[in-house]
Amino acid sequence: MDYKNLKKNHSKLYKLLVVEKKRQKNVINLIPSENYVSQAVLEALGTEFTNKYAEGYSEMRYYFGNKNVDQLEDYAKLLVYKVFKIKPVDYGVNLQAYSGSTANLAVYHALLNPGDKVLSMSLEHGGHLTHGHKVSLTGKLFNFIHYGVNRNGFLDYDQILQIAQKEKPKMIVCGASAYSRIIDFKKFKEIADSVGAYLMADISHIAGLIAGGAHPSPFPYADIATTTTHKTLRGPRAALIISKKQKSKFQVSGSILHELIDKMIFPGMQGGPHMNTIFAIAVCLEEALKPNFKKYAKQVVKNAKALANELQKLGFKIISDGTDNHLMLIDVTPLGHTGKTAGEILEKNGIIVNKNMIPYDTRKPWDPLGIRIGTPTVTTQGMTEKDMEKIAKKIHSLLTND
Ligand code: DSN
């Protein structure tokens, strides 16, 4: 894109864009929740679909002039079914949530009553703010209790079962933003079924890996799956909600999960969908169906394993001693750092990470014991295992002054 109108008429903003583009090109971006989208996704975000109001759903809009929008939303849904290998007869899809946070809140609110008990992974052990952290609206509206990982950094399914049987939650949330191991959705479903709870899988981090066959799928186990579309899936900043076409357990009798969720997204929580974003979601889903995307997803994992191996050889302490997915957590305190000081040194030298609490952290989120790194972006840029070795050595030399 040449951005010629921005350049001509909005020079101050254009300059900001130029420096950000340059920054993205010049750094080694190891933030595992970020990615660099294709030119086609960028173009899609800037199309005339941004001009259209389309409150409602296909063929049930409150505005006229939506024939093209209906076609777009219907087609994007079909792509979701293809990418995640599920069938319209079994699942409903909502593409309108403005973000993953909104998607998660909408699911809780659609299927539960305020105050209901939900069991999820704690943020401190790798979960997410919207999995009921006390500062999040999700944690204020619902009664969240949490599971974590064991001292080795792994989920302990027996312990999760015990908590579930004692607490009898109405929903169990699995999925994480800082967990580097395979999530066993089947086991989670067995636990949820044993207490009559819904299973919701937040697959935001690993959606692209699932689409590319590099992580097991939550289907058919999860009753509901939410995901952002901009992480490993490499699309625009938005979200999807996929839910079973089954009757709700706790709400108005006879209501179907995905219908309750649709109603909660619009008109419950949002107004008009961002159709330019949905257009861009469709583009990223078409990309995810190409054979290259499978290669990409598998390379993301290979790169993460190579990076973790090399870092371990250099003496780094990786939580759970490795990774099965796109990310890892590193305890940087043996090197005399905190997450904050390590991240600052790396940033000064062109490596971008995020500071992150590690399980059993003794510090605060603003300056925790660890950093979180991952390989989605560098893999998009074409890097392979050899590059990971170089990156590991560079990180080591910067953090040890070696
Ligand atoms: N903030 C995102 C992450 O970095 O994992 C999750 O929403």
Side-chain angles (χ1 to χ4, degrees):
M1 286 199 268
D2 59 12
Y3 304 107
K4 61 179 188 296
N5 294 297
L6 285 176
K7 190 173 179 181
K8 195 167 144 210
N9 301 320
H10 304 271
S11 60
K12 188 171 174 181
L13 290 169
Y14 176 71
K15 276 182 200 143
L16 268 178
L17 173 63
V18 170
V19 289
E20 175 57 14
K21 274 178 69 147
K22 208 164 156 191
R23 185 196 70 80
Q24 289 188 14
K25 207 167 155 203
N26 291 339
V27 298
I28 293 172
N29 182 4
L30 297 179
I31 294 178
S33 48
E34 292 185 4
N35 213 328
Y36 290 171
V37 299
S38 67
Q39 282 299 308
V41 169
L42 284 181
E43 284 172 17
L45 283 168
T47 58
E48 285 73 3
F49 278 109
T50 200
N51 298 334
K52 191 68 197 100
Y53 247 120
E55 280 180 5
Y57 293 96
S58 199
E59 292 182 16
M60 293 181 307
R61 308 278 182 188
Y62 288 84
Y63 295 74
F64 292 95
N66 273 313
K67 287 209 165 59
N68 301 323
V69 159
D70 282 0
Q71 272 192 42
L72 167 60
E73 197 164 359
D74 292 347
Y75 174 60
K77 281 186 187 180
L78 284 182
L79 292 171
V80 173
Y81 291 115
K82 280 194 187 165
V83 165
F84 292 102
K85 300 184 179 65
I86 50 176
K87 295 203 178 96
V89 64
D90 300 321
Y91 294 91
V93 172
N94 187 296
L95 292 154
Q96 296 192 3
Y98 297 149
S99 72
S101 306
T102 322
N104 286 352
L105 185 55
V107 170
Y108 307 141
H109 235 318
L111 305 185
L112 304 172
N113 292 304
D116 277 353
K117 202 177 264 184
V118 186
L119 174 60
S120 69
M121 191 174 195
S122 74
L123 179 68
E124 292 76 13
H125 281 221
H128 189 255
L129 276 169
T130 61
H131 298 176
H133 192 276
K134 62 179 189 294
V135 301
S136 156
L137 190 55
T138 57
K140 294 183 197 295
L141 290 177
F142 299 92
N143 178 14
F144 272 84
I145 46 166
H146 297 291
Y147 56 85
V149 293
N150 61 24
R151 286 275 167 188
N152 296 326
F154 285 80
L155 286 171
D156 177 342
Y157 293 92
D158 291 335
Q159 198 187 46
I160 298 167
L161 174 65
Q162 274 174 20
I163 302 174
Q165 293 196 329
K166 179 165 171 260
E167 298 286 349
K168 304 262 180 301
K170 289 194 166 164
M171 180 181 283
I172 297 180
V173 179
C174 61
S177 60
Y179 183 64
S180 64
R181 295 300 181 172
I182 298 286
I183 294 173
D184 190 335
F185 296 113
K186 185 166 183 272
K187 272 198 185 142
F188 266 111
K189 178 63 172 164
E190 285 162 8
I191 296 170
D193 280 349
S194 79
V195 294
Y198 288 122
L199 178 63
M200 171 176 138
D202 180 344
I203 55 168
S204 294
H205 264 260
I206 52 174
L209 304 185
I210 293 165
H215 187 290
S217 171
F219 308 110
Y221 307 111
D223 300 306
I224 312 106
T226 59
T227 181
T228 48
T229 46
H230 51 272
K231 297 187 174 86
T232 47
L233 199 53
R234 215 165 53 183
R237 304 193 80 87
L240 303 174
I241 307 172
I242 301 170
S243 52
K244 281 192 177 154
K245 285 187 173 168
Q246 67 184 24
K247 282 189 182 168
S248 99
K249 294 179 200 248
F250 312 118
Q251 292 293 89
V252 195
S253 77
S255 313
I256 306 296
L257 299 192
H258 89 100
E259 292 172 1
L260 290 167
I261 290 168
D262 276 359
K263 270 193 212 141
M264 186 51 68
I265 288 286
F266 175 83
M269 287 171 57
Q270 296 187 174
H274 297 173
M275 292 316 302
N276 57 321
T277 307
I278 292 175
F279 189 58
I281 292 176
V283 171
C284 103
L285 293 171
E286 282 194 343
E287 290 175 354
L289 284 167
K290 295 200 172 129
N292 258 352
F293 193 82
K294 242 188 195 140
K295 265 199 199 153
Y296 165 71
K298 295 204 162 126
Q299 190 63 45
V300 166
V301 176
K302 281 189 204 165
N303 282 350
K305 283 181 187 289
L307 187 54
N309 277 344
E310 191 62 27
L311 285 167
Q312 278 188 311
K313 273 194 225 156
L314 293 164
F316 279 86
K317 193 171 162 203
I318 310 277
I319 304 307
S320 87
D321 281 333
T323 180
D324 299 325
N325 61 22
H326 61 302
L327 66 74
M328 68 210 73
L329 281 174
I330 307 174
D331 180 353
V332 287
T333 48
L335 305 167
H337 283 289
T338 63
K340 184 167 180 282
T341 61
E344 283 168 355
I345 290 175
L346 293 172
E347 183 180 22
K348 272 191 200 128
N349 291 279
I351 297 179
I352 310 298
V353 305
N354 70 274
K355 52 192 174 190
N356 216 98
M357 292 188 89
I358 58 174
Y360 305 98
D361 207 310
T362 47
R363 299 176 63 90
K364 296 268 179 255
W366 188 246
D367 191 8
L369 296 179
I371 57 173
R372 184 185 65 158
I373 63 175
T375 54
T377 307
V378 289
T379 309
T380 293
Q381 291 174 313
M383 293 193 204
T384 61
E385 289 94 322
K386 279 214 166 77
D387 302 298
M388 299 306 113
E389 284 172 26
K390 284 186 206 150
I391 290 174
K393 286 189 176 116
K394 177 94 181 155
I395 292 175
H396 179 258
S397 87
L398 289 171
L399 296 186
T400 57
N401 288 322
D402 199 2

